[in-house]
Amino acid sequence: MADTVELARTAMHSQQRLQHVALNVAKLVSMRFDPVLAADVASSDVISIDGMGIVWGARALGLPVPSRVTGIDLLTELLALCERDGFKPYFLGATPGVLQHAARQVLDKHPSIAFAGLRDGYFTREQEAQVVREIRSSRADCLFIGMPSPRKERFLASYRDALGVPFIMGVGGSFDILAGTVRRAPVRMQHLGLEWLYRIYQEPGRMWWRYAKTNTLFAGILAQAVVRQKLGIGSRANSGLPPSAGEVGHSV
């Protein structure tokens, strides 16, 4: 976490763009079927391991992963950094109500933060250029994007260079957590890597099939990679896994 925060701080101070992506099981599985998402992850500068499934999978393959850096925890740390160093964040995504409430909650905790701007995620393709102009003119130091995949990846693929923001980070559903509309799993469940089970408990109708599908596919991907490794055949290029974090960016 400290390494990741320092990379973000350096980028904001130097005004040199740095894109962060958090990798979990669902995203890794989706990368196999969505080339835009795979390209977005591969072109990011910092890849953090968000899900415990990725930690366990990496360790099963002998990759040195000391800990994970979850998106919501990193966002929390970076907002504290914004208050300390005077950086201006921009929130993009979620519904207007959730976005406004999330911003109010942040200001309650960090009253010295000056937001560069807020924009909900409900805009059309025709409005994208205007949204990009608003973000660029805001002179934001960091952009946190709470839009679903693959929309977020397609937006960044089209406009990353035009945004003019030093630090860019996708935050998934973190605005909902900041706003209090979605609760995080208890700390014990987080440590056990059972946050997905808590999500199913909160939204069984929407989440159970997603996790059943992605977890099953991930188990197959990992089993294939482990077998290939033990047999000493193939390479990462044909092992069924995307490129490792160390091969596509700074591994954190």
Side-chain angles (χ1 to χ4, degrees), residues 44-89:
S44 295
D45 303 294
V46 182
I47 299 175
S48 295
I49 293 180
D50 187 303
M52 281 303 298
I54 303 294
V55 173
W56 294 331
R59 290 174 179 170
L61 292 169
L63 301 174
V65 179
S67 64
R68 64 176 180 157
V69 178
T70 67
I72 181 61
D73 289 331
L74 178 57
L75 174 59
T76 300
E77 291 290 332
L78 291 175
L79 289 172
L81 173 68
C82 286
E83 183 176 43
R84 289 196 307 270
D85 287 26
F87 295 131
K88 296 187 299 180

Side-chain angles (χ1 to χ4, degrees), residues 15-36:
Q15 294 290 294
Q16 294 186 348
R17 195 191 73 206
L18 191 79
Q19 183 178 337
H20 171 278
V21 65
L23 188 65
N24 57 23
V25 165
K27 185 170 290 185
L28 184 138
V29 170
S30 296
M31 287 170 64
R32 291 169 57 82
F33 308 102
D34 186 337
V36 175

Side-chain angles (χ1 to χ4, degrees), residues 214-225:
T214 56
N215 287 356
T216 300
L217 288 170
F218 177 70
I221 293 169
L222 180 59
Q224 182 187 49

Side-chain angles (χ1 to χ4, degrees), residues 142-165:
C142 45
L143 173 64
F144 301 109
I145 306 179
M147 298 193 303
S149 296
R151 188 184 177 206
K152 176 180 87 280
E153 287 75 29
R154 293 198 176 106
F155 179 81
L156 286 175
S158 298
Y159 302 108
R160 180 172 20 227
D161 294 332
L163 290 168
V165 181

Side-chain angles (χ1 to χ4, degrees), residues 177-242:
I177 295 175
L178 291 178
T181 56
V182 172
R183 299 187 306 276
R184 287 195 75 182
V187 174
R188 180 64 175 167
M189 293 189 77
Q190 293 178 38
H191 290 164
L192 292 173
L194 296 176
E195 288 157 299
W196 60 274
L197 190 59
Y198 193 74
R199 288 295 306 278
I200 294 176
Y201 164 73
Q202 290 189 87
E203 301 178 85
R206 188 170 75 90
M207 302 305 296
W208 81 268
W209 173 243
R210 170 188 163 182
Y211 282 114
K213 177 182 175 182
T214 56
N215 287 356
T216 300
L217 288 170
F218 177 70
I221 293 169
L222 180 59
Q224 182 187 49
V226 169
V227 168
R228 285 181 177 275
Q229 185 184 71
K230 289 187 180 298
L231 294 177
I233 60 175
S235 65
R236 180 167 295 275
N238 58 22
S239 68
L241 284 172

